[in-house]
Amino acid sequence: MRTLYCWLLAMFGMVGAAHAEWVQRELTYRLDGTDFIGTLVYDDAGAARRPGIVLVPNWLGPSPAAIEQAKRVAGRDYVVLVADVYGATVRPSNDDEASAAAGAARANRPLLRARVNKAVDVLIEQAGQAPLDTGRLAAVGFCFGGGSVLELARSGRDLRGVVSFHGNLDTPLPAQKGSIPAAVLVLHGADDPYVPAADVAAFESEMRAAGADWQLTAYGGAVHSFSEPEADAPGQAQYHPQVARRAFAAMRDFLAERFGP
């Protein structure tokens, strides 16, 4: 595991950061009669308070791979909560089950927004138990999770920023003028077959109309899931190591700017 972590540090440009031990703690919470289980992740190298990030995983939900992904995002810099937006009894084991779970969540955007907002609340509640600065919060999502954090931004949650990796851009509830206080960074595969050009154009128009602080970077040659090493469906959902490095660097620069010194 240590070797894997060092490889990830090298892969995503975090070499040189001393690492102590990972704290990894499951958090059970409840919303509207449904139980959820998220996982809090951070490096215990120091006691200084650091910004917090809610991470919404891809359509497989809060899996072991999502926890490893959270460690990549956290580094020494952040406290990360891997959010559960499906419910504790829903843990997809294959693409068909994941498609059904993600489809059900996306079919009810108000409920999805409420569940991601609840994860932010749960992260805030960890202040005092984790080295968390609750005045500096953001959200990051991958694939299904990328679309989910954009719904969080559209809900009006006052965060420093949200970052979407190869996420869906469409919504039945577009943001209204002045309704997005969080800065928005979208990291998009220019050849993603699941996010057509019409969705990109509609998203850009939505952000302009909302008066949001937004950026969209489209990576040539990249399709869906470009940041996920396990993705191996050529032309559809495929890992692209060069684009992954660029996108993670863009995320870290964005968060550094949004969180400040």
Side-chain angles (χ1 to χ4, degrees):
M1 183 61 70
R2 178 70 179 179
T3 301
L4 172 62
Y5 178 71
C6 291
W7 177 84
L8 291 170
L9 287 181
M11 192 68 175
F12 293 104
M14 293 180 280
V15 173
H19 168 67
E21 296 294 335
W22 288 112
V23 174
Q24 182 176 317
R25 185 168 73 249
E26 286 192 347
L27 301 174
T28 300
Y29 52 100
R30 193 170 180 84
L31 176 67
D32 296 333
T34 299
D35 292 324
F36 299 86
I37 302 175
T39 301
L40 192 73
V41 173
Y42 62 92
D43 187 315
D44 69 354
R49 292 192 305 159
R50 64 198 80 164
I53 294 173
V54 167
L55 186 150
V56 185
N58 66 22
W59 66 355
L60 290 172
S63 63
I67 293 171
E68 291 306 309
Q69 194 175 57
K71 292 176 182 177
R72 295 204 299 270
V73 172
R76 284 191 65 197
D77 301 319
Y78 308 123
V79 175
V80 176
L81 174 64
V82 180
D84 176 6
V85 298
Y86 289 158
T89 63
V90 180
R91 291 294 182 267
S93 60
N94 56 54
D95 285 354
D96 287 342
E97 293 177 0
S99 179
R106 284 173 49 78
N108 189 339
R109 300 301 173 92
L111 182 61
L112 178 59
R113 292 181 181 187
R115 289 181 173 184
V116 185
N117 269 285
K118 178 64 176 181
V120 177
D121 295 338
V122 170
L123 176 59
I124 291 170
E125 291 167 2
Q126 305 316 303
Q129 302 177 59
L132 175 66
D133 179 355
T134 59
R136 294 187 292 168
L137 300 175
V140 174
F142 296 83
C143 296
F144 161 76
S148 298
V149 300
L150 292 178
E151 292 296 341
L152 176 66
R154 292 176 175 117
S155 78
R157 188 73 189 227
D158 191 6
L159 303 175
R160 295 290 182 93
V162 302
V163 182
S164 169
F165 283 79
H166 38 79
N168 301 96
L169 302 180
D170 63 304
T171 182
L173 301 171
Q176 302 303 306
K177 186 172 179 60
S179 65
I180 301 183
V184 175
L185 173 63
V186 170
L187 303 169
H188 170 64
D191 299 319
D192 188 335
Y194 303 114
V195 184
D199 284 0
V200 177
F203 174 79
E204 292 178 350
S205 294
E206 177 194 8
M207 293 296 106
R208 292 189 184 98
D213 176 357
W214 67 282
Q215 306 170 57
L216 187 149
T217 299
Y219 296 101
V223 293
H224 204 61
S225 302
F226 61 74
S227 75
E228 301 187 340
E230 65 276 13
D232 189 23
Q236 299 180 58
Q238 188 173 25
Y239 180 52
H240 193 308
Q242 182 182 55
V243 169
R245 285 193 295 271
R246 291 173 177 174
F248 268 79
M251 175 198 72
R252 298 191 75 80
D253 287 347
F254 173 80
L255 293 175
E257 174 197 280
R258 297 306 302 155
F259 290 140

